[in-house]
Amino acid sequence: MTMPVGLEINAARLRGTMVEGLAVRGFLDDPAWRAAVEAVPRHRFVPGFYLPADDGSDGQGLTLWQPVTAALDHGRWLAAAYSDATLITQFDGDEPDWENPVEWYGGAPTSSSTLPSLVLRMWADADVREGHTVLEIGTGTGYSTALACERLGSGGVTSIEVDPHRLERAASALHGCGYTPTLAVADGLYGYRPEAPFDRIVAACSFRAVPPALVAQTRPGGKILLTLSGWLYGYARVLLTVAGDGTAEGRLLGGTVSFMSARVHAAPAFGNPAHWAAELQGRPRVARHGPERVTAATEEAFHLRFLVQSAVPDAQLTTVGDVVHLVDVVNGSAATLTPDGDGDDGWRVREGGPIGLWESVERVLDAYDAAGRPGPETFTLCVHDGGQHLRHPRLPCLSLPSP
């Protein structure tokens, strides 16, 4: 791929500024990763992406996303390419026409170029080193793949992507920059057996539970870094070490990192929450805990959302006006939480179906409070033939859903 000389000079200058910023914030303490970021031209991997409009939305709460390309606004495109920001490249699985891109309202992002600091954090947390063979799940634009190739050499890197259009674009950018990793259109749920076993597996998407294929394709002593998520949009990162008997165990990691769900693990549509609420019978009770415990914009709420999600793995949450709805499309349970109107910030809950959804949530919150509100780093995930269990010395065991 031939680029104008002026563009490459400006890109190198902006890349240098990005590198210095990442170094100041502690993301480039390893000289080898710094050299990789200095070498890889991120703009080659993001010829088009979306950024939110400055004026926000369409007036109905939907974000207005504006396409950004070199042809539309060269300065904005290049500056964003070298910002520490995630750049959305696809919504709802539809590949944009970057020759004639259009604005987009709302939608669910399904592919992106992850912010460079998080890419570096993932590779560092996975303890990726020279000589390792690595499987990356979620090639995306190929930028993170290029960093791994720069650090390990292309021969040690395998990257898979479920979307053939995304992989085609990533492959073109990678080969144009001289990188030749093993690339394949494949579902991350099943890893990539032809190149196994791997020393490290790193996923740039999230799963409801650890896919057994990933454990099977990791060498004894190897490590798997992935994000666990669910239909309540609770997230946790875990670094697992695989044992010789095919089991794996590891601690949850701190922080508030989230990734798009693997498409096979995406939440199903549940219809109109008012229809579910209309089926609830009986008088409401006073809630022991309000929904803000899991919906607040805090690190603790982020962590709690993952814990309570493990107790009600098939539940989804949505808010309509002042009413919070929980819906479980698998077993038909539902719950609503409504402000009690007495001005004391209390809530009333009405539940129905085989499972008391909010009662299940409250039991986890009660136990969490009684245990002293332990952080994510104090939990261990154990993966074995009998299931996947989240353990803590002062809390009841929580199980992840079947992968």
Side-chain angles (χ1 to χ4, degrees):
M1 182 186 300
T2 302
M3 291 284 180
V5 174
L7 168 60
E8 293 302 324
I9 292 173
N10 289 333
R13 175 178 55 81
L14 290 171
R15 187 158 62 252
T17 300
M18 183 182 77
V19 166
E20 292 304 319
L22 292 170
V24 167
R25 293 160 56 205
F27 291 106
L28 292 175
D29 293 340
D30 183 332
W33 283 119
R34 176 166 183 149
V37 179
E38 289 174 336
V40 175
R42 191 187 187 202
H43 66 283
R44 301 274 194 100
F45 296 88
V46 287
F49 48 85
Y50 284 93
L51 293 177
D54 293 337
D55 54 0
S57 73
D58 65 346
Q60 298 181 13
L62 295 177
T63 299
L64 171 59
W65 296 91
Q66 294 179 328
V68 180
T69 66
L72 290 172
D73 188 332
H74 188 277
R76 188 185 189 195
W77 166 73
L78 195 58
Y82 289 104
S83 65
D84 189 30
T86 293
L87 306 175
I88 305 300
T89 54
Q90 187 189 80
F91 291 94
D92 302 320
D94 294 328
E95 188 65 23
D97 176 6
W98 290 113
E99 297 299 321
N100 298 285
V102 297
E103 293 185 337
W104 197 283
Y105 286 99
T110 48
S111 189
S112 67
S113 177
T114 302
L115 66 162
S117 61
L118 179 52
V119 172
L120 292 164
R121 180 177 172 184
M122 295 286 287
W123 289 127
D125 285 346
D127 192 26
V128 173
R129 301 180 185 179
E130 286 77 4
H132 281 163
T133 55
V134 171
L135 171 64
E136 177 190 41
I137 298 173
T139 313
T141 64
Y143 175 68
S144 62
T145 318
L147 292 177
C149 290
E150 189 68 37
R151 172 70 187 267
L152 303 174
S154 296
V157 179
T158 298
S159 187
I160 60 176
E161 169 63 50
V162 72
D163 187 320
H165 299 292
R166 284 283 92 209
L167 189 67
E168 182 180 8
R169 289 181 177 273
S172 177
L174 285 162
H175 294 160
C177 291
Y179 303 116
T180 56
T182 298
L183 301 174
V185 176
D187 190 327
L189 188 66
Y190 305 103
Y192 199 60
R193 195 170 295 275
E195 295 296 315
F198 301 99
D199 296 302
R200 297 290 187 269
I201 295 179
V202 177
C205 61
S206 63
F207 297 95
R208 297 184 75 200
V210 180
L214 303 189
V215 177
Q217 293 174 30
T218 303
R219 285 193 178 93
K223 297 180 180 181
I224 303 170
L225 179 69
L226 77 165
T227 302
L228 300 170
S229 66
W231 296 349
L232 286 182
Y233 297 101
Y235 296 88
R237 287 195 312 145
V238 64
L239 180 62
L240 296 165
T241 299
V242 176
D245 60 1
T247 63
E249 183 174 311
R251 290 292 182 94
L252 299 189
L253 304 180
T256 55
V257 173
S258 60
F259 278 103
M260 300 169 193
S261 294
R263 297 188 188 184
V264 70
H265 281 182
F270 58 82
N272 187 337
H275 295 164
W276 292 84
E279 297 296 313
L280 302 180
Q281 305 296 323
R283 296 175 59 83
R285 65 172 175 84
V286 175
R288 299 196 303 278
H289 299 277
E292 68 279 355
R293 288 293 305 273
V294 297
T295 60
T298 64
E299 285 200 22
E300 183 181 60
F302 187 93
H303 171 47
L304 276 175
R305 202 154 52 244
F306 176 73
L307 296 183
V308 302
Q309 173 181 272
S310 299
V312 287
D314 299 321
Q316 298 181 64
L317 182 149
T318 189
T319 301
V320 181
D322 293 332
V323 181
V324 177
H325 298 262
L326 273 82
V327 174
D328 186 324
V329 300
V330 176
N331 64 37
S333 299
T336 60
L337 290 105
T338 308
D340 66 10
D342 294 336
D344 61 356
D345 297 325
W347 293 80
R348 291 189 176 272
V349 58
R350 179 181 278 112
E351 298 174 289
I355 296 174
L357 293 179
W358 195 249
E359 176 62 32
S360 299
V361 170
E362 288 180 317
R363 284 197 293 269
V364 175
L365 295 176
D366 288 341
Y368 171 79
D369 290 344
R373 299 186 172 190
E377 300 92 337
T378 63
F379 289 81
T380 299
L381 180 65
C382 303
V383 180
H384 50 83
D385 288 341
Q388 303 187 16
H389 302 292
L390 194 61
R391 302 188 187 279
H392 189 278
R394 299 192 303 277
L395 285 167
C397 179
L398 292 169
S399 298
L400 299 188
S402 298

